[in-house]
Amino acid sequence: MSKGSPGPTPGFLVWRLANKWRVAVDRALAPLGLTHAQYAVVASLYGMVRTGERPSQRRLADHTGMEALYVSKLARALESAGLIERTRDPRDPRAVQLALTEQGRAVARQAVEAVQDLLQQLLEPLGGLDGPRTHAFTDELTALLDVPLAPSVPTDESTQGMTP
């Protein structure tokens, strides 16, 4: 930021907050042997299974907003660690269904609790997890996440006629 700058942009602040959150979650979950990305898979799977769903890798990727290939890679690592089971979907042999093992459920419960404690700390300035400012903040974040973003294409004359 330059001296004449009116302050950080919203994009910069979102990036900083996302990095701060990822680092804090990574540190909090290290004793459980999970990274933030693995937590996203395990915690999402834990929540989905609790509602009676046995999601496919594709469904979990859609739920988390991660690329399907990345979820597949994370799922294989979590399977090797004994936390999840991957099985072929009997209705679609191309699809892989995911389920937590008993050990996976135990780790997921501990991880969710650790992240909830961390989230309460982060949101304390907004009144905590159940505060009205937190609910408004959540609504704002949801609105931003619902906006589809397409990569911008340069329209500068110097790039016309060039292939990527």
Side-chain angles (χ1 to χ4, degrees):
M1 303 285 144
S2 66
K3 269 190 170 182
S5 172
T9 66
F12 178 75
L13 293 174
V14 167
W15 177 75
R16 288 279 317 271
L17 183 59
N19 281 318
K20 176 182 179 176
W21 181 248
R22 184 191 48 77
V23 168
V25 171
D26 277 343
R27 287 180 181 154
L29 298 178
L32 297 173
L34 294 176
T35 65
H36 185 256
Q38 290 172 328
Y39 169 77
V41 169
V42 169
S44 295
L45 187 55
Y46 182 68
M48 295 168 98
V49 168
R50 288 180 61 186
T51 64
E53 191 173 348
R54 184 169 178 147
S56 67
Q57 286 182 172
R58 165 57 70 192
R59 170 77 179 99
L60 189 62
D62 292 344
H63 177 80
T64 61
M66 289 190 241
E67 293 290 329
L69 191 59
Y70 189 44
V71 169
S72 176
K73 178 182 173 187
L74 292 168
R76 281 192 304 274
L78 291 165
E79 181 181 41
S80 293
L83 300 180
I84 69 170
E85 295 172 339
R86 299 168 66 239
T87 57
R88 290 281 171 206
D89 184 335
R91 297 165 303 202
D92 181 357
R94 296 167 300 162
V96 175
Q97 289 183 315
L98 303 175
L100 290 167
T101 63
E102 189 173 321
Q103 178 187 358
R105 285 189 298 277
V107 169
R109 280 191 295 274
Q110 293 175 319
V112 167
E113 186 177 310
V115 171
Q116 286 296 306
D117 291 345
L118 193 58
L119 191 55
Q120 183 65 31
Q121 287 177 35
L122 177 71
L123 296 172
E124 199 58 43
L126 300 181
L129 198 52
D130 294 319
R133 287 181 63 202
T134 297
H135 289 289
F137 180 59
T138 301
D139 290 343
E140 297 291 342
L141 290 172
T142 302
L144 294 175
L145 287 169
D146 286 345
V147 174
L149 296 178
S152 61
V153 178
T155 58
D156 182 44
E157 289 179 20
S158 66
T159 60
Q160 287 185 358
M162 298 177 74
T163 57

